[in-house]
Structures are given as C-alpha cells and as structure tokens.
Amino acid sequence: MTSGGNDEVLWLGRARASGAAGARTVRVRTRGAAPGPDDIAEEIDDPFADDDGDPWQRAKAATAGAKTSVAALGLLAPVRPSKVICVGRNFRAHAAELGNEVPTEPLLFFKPPSCIVPSGQAVALPRGYERIDMESELVVVVGRKASHVAAERAFEHVAGYAVGNDVSNRDLQKRDKQWTRAKGFDGFGPLASWIRLTPPGFVPPTGARIRGWLNGQAKQSAPLADMVFDVPYLFAYISACMTLMPGDLIFTGTPEGVAALQPGDSAQVALDGFELAPLVTPFT
C-alpha cells in the first residue's frame, strides 16, 4: 500500500483497554500510515454523537483522555452503524463473472449491523453450503445526517473510509432470490479496525485500487474508477429514499476475482493508492 504522505492523518477506532470494561472511542494521529502497535491511541468522545456535526473536526479538536499504545487495546469494529447498505454488481467484470447483466441503476441490499466484525476476528463459516465467497470492497462511512443529498454535495457528508469484505453465501443467494440470508450471517461483514477520517469535501483518488487476497494469493484488483456508479452517485441515489445517519456504512461493490472460502482460510483486503488500514479475516 502506498503512503498517505507527510500530512497528519486522523484514524478512528473503538476499543477495550486491557482489563477495562466497556467500549471507548479512540483516536490515533499518524503521518500517513495506518495505526501500528507502537502508535498511541487517545480516548475521545464519540465524534458521531451529533447527527449534524462534522466528525473529522470533532475528532481533531476533541480533548484527549486516557492514552495507551495500540498494542494494548482490544480493538472492536470502529463504528456501530444503524444500517449497512451495499451495492451489488457495481463492477462490470464482476457482474460478468457471475453471469449477470450490469444494472442500469444501483442494485442495493442491506446487511444487518450484526454482520460487522473487526480485522483479526475469526468468522465461523456456516456449514452445509457449497460456496461462500469473499468480496473485497471500499466502504464509505457516513459522517452527518443525510437526506436527499445532491451528488455534488455528497462528499460533504462523508466522514471517511475503510475496507471491508462482503462475505456472500452463493447457495442462498440463488435459492432465496433476495439476498437477506445470503449476505446476513453474523460475521459476514468484516471491516478494518480503523476508519481513515477525511475532512468534508475531500475526494479520494479514483486511481486507487481495491485489492483482495486469499491465503496470500492475489485474487482481486481494480481501480475505483471502474465502478459503474461512483460514490457521489451512490450517495445521492441512496439518500433519495432513506436518511443516512452518522456511522452508517456503504459497501460500494466488489471487482472480479471473488474467491470461495473454506475453514482455515485467511482473506485480506487493502487499498493501493490511498492509505487505509488493511483487513485480515481468518475463517473457521
């Protein structure tokens, strides 16, 4: 992965300190790289608490509480979304590899918030099915309450980004026709443990590439520019029918190369060209 440069980058997570009860929001400041074990995490108030606030500014200006090394934290999923919205067949080559047509409008579905697990947490694959796939994706984190937002103002409502894995049960996807069970098992939405916060209006580089590996073997790689519907279009389309709330997640679709998972496998997701915390998920 490439560096984010020398400018200060804000990372947001949730964690339990060793021996402590309850979850805390934590902030890490780096010079571009994703948080490492020796970086210092600072406890802050939840920057998503204000529906109409600016999480980036709130996290940046927050008074730091207890400080500890990242290595000493028990990392949790970085947000608790009210909903997880996903986009199907948003890369032409992926639609083709599954024998599907490219949609003329975004194909949306939900995953339950209970699908979200942080990087490193093992996910138990349900037994008795022939194929369960990994799907590497860029995930957009909603920053402020959004309803009927125009595409040109979409990035004003984005808090930041992470990478995720839209784990998918192909047996149930074909059998049920709708995707609620196929996409909704506990643990079927692994998410990087750190969100890279961005200021309102920030536009991520379209040349950045979403990449996925299975057991260290490269499986997926495509630039974000290959999306059928880009982030501003998706934001406008989704917010036209539902109100997005701070901390909600938008899984933006996967490129070709989805790979079948088996117990004992490890899947990795990262973004090249724009530094995000990587995602590693062992499956049991």
Side-chain angles (χ1 to χ4, degrees):
M1 296 177 66
T2 59
S3 171
N6 292 320
D7 294 337
E8 182 180 78
V9 175
L10 290 178
W11 303 87
L12 194 73
R14 292 175 62 249
R16 290 191 181 93
S18 297
R24 305 178 303 166
T25 299
V26 291
R27 170 187 68 197
V28 174
R29 303 174 188 263
T30 76
R31 303 309 295 182
D38 296 329
D39 286 316
I40 299 301
E42 305 170 322
E43 182 178 354
I44 62 171
D45 291 336
D46 181 5
F48 293 106
D50 180 359
D51 288 355
D52 298 310
D54 175 354
W56 184 82
Q57 184 59 41
R58 287 170 63 89
K60 183 177 181 180
T63 300
K67 300 180 181 181
T68 187
S69 68
V70 169
L73 296 173
L75 289 171
L76 306 169
V79 289
R80 300 183 67 187
S82 70
K83 50 190 170 294
V84 181
I85 308 104
C86 305
V87 186
R89 304 171 191 167
N90 200 27
F91 285 79
R92 289 179 175 82
H94 170 59
E97 75 177 338
L98 296 184
N100 297 309
E101 295 182 355
V102 176
T104 57
E105 294 184 40
L107 178 59
L108 303 182
F109 60 93
F110 284 113
K111 293 172 83 80
S114 54
C115 78
I116 301 296
V117 295
S119 183
Q121 181 170 320
V123 173
L125 294 171
R127 301 302 197 258
Y129 299 102
E130 291 187 5
R131 178 147 185 164
I132 299 174
D133 282 352
M134 63 172 286
E135 294 191 3
S136 308
E137 306 201 9
L138 174 71
V139 180
V140 177
V141 184
V142 177
R144 61 179 68 187
K145 187 176 180 180
S147 176
H148 298 277
V149 173
E152 58 268 23
R153 303 198 65 179
F155 288 118
E156 298 174 19
H157 295 265
V158 173
Y161 302 88
V163 291
N165 189 341
D166 173 23
V167 181
S168 303
N169 185 318
R170 301 300 184 202
D171 300 44
L172 293 178
Q173 199 169 2
K174 294 176 181 177
R175 184 190 309 170
D176 292 355
K177 306 304 179 186
Q178 55 182 340
W179 301 352
T180 303
R181 288 201 301 162
K183 303 280 193 171
F185 283 83
D186 289 348
F188 268 28
L191 185 70
S193 296
W194 297 98
I195 296 166
R196 177 171 178 164
L197 294 178
T198 55
F202 175 86
V203 180
T206 55
R209 299 183 72 90
I210 188 73
R211 299 193 66 196
W213 297 262
L214 181 62
N215 300 323
Q217 181 178 0
K219 295 291 184 180
Q220 296 184 275
S221 179
L224 301 183
D226 281 1
M227 286 183 179
V228 179
F229 306 103
D230 62 14
V231 170
Y233 189 99
L234 292 173
F235 211 97
Y237 187 87
I238 296 167
S239 70
C241 74
M242 71 184 77
T243 299
L244 297 169
M245 301 300 293
D248 283 351
L249 301 175
I250 303 173
F251 279 63
T252 58
T254 196
E256 68 176 322
V258 296
L261 297 166
Q262 300 292 335
D265 284 344
S266 177
Q268 301 84 38
V269 183
L271 194 74
D272 282 347
F274 180 61
E275 184 78 16
L276 294 180
L279 169 62
V280 179
T281 307
F283 292 90
T284 62

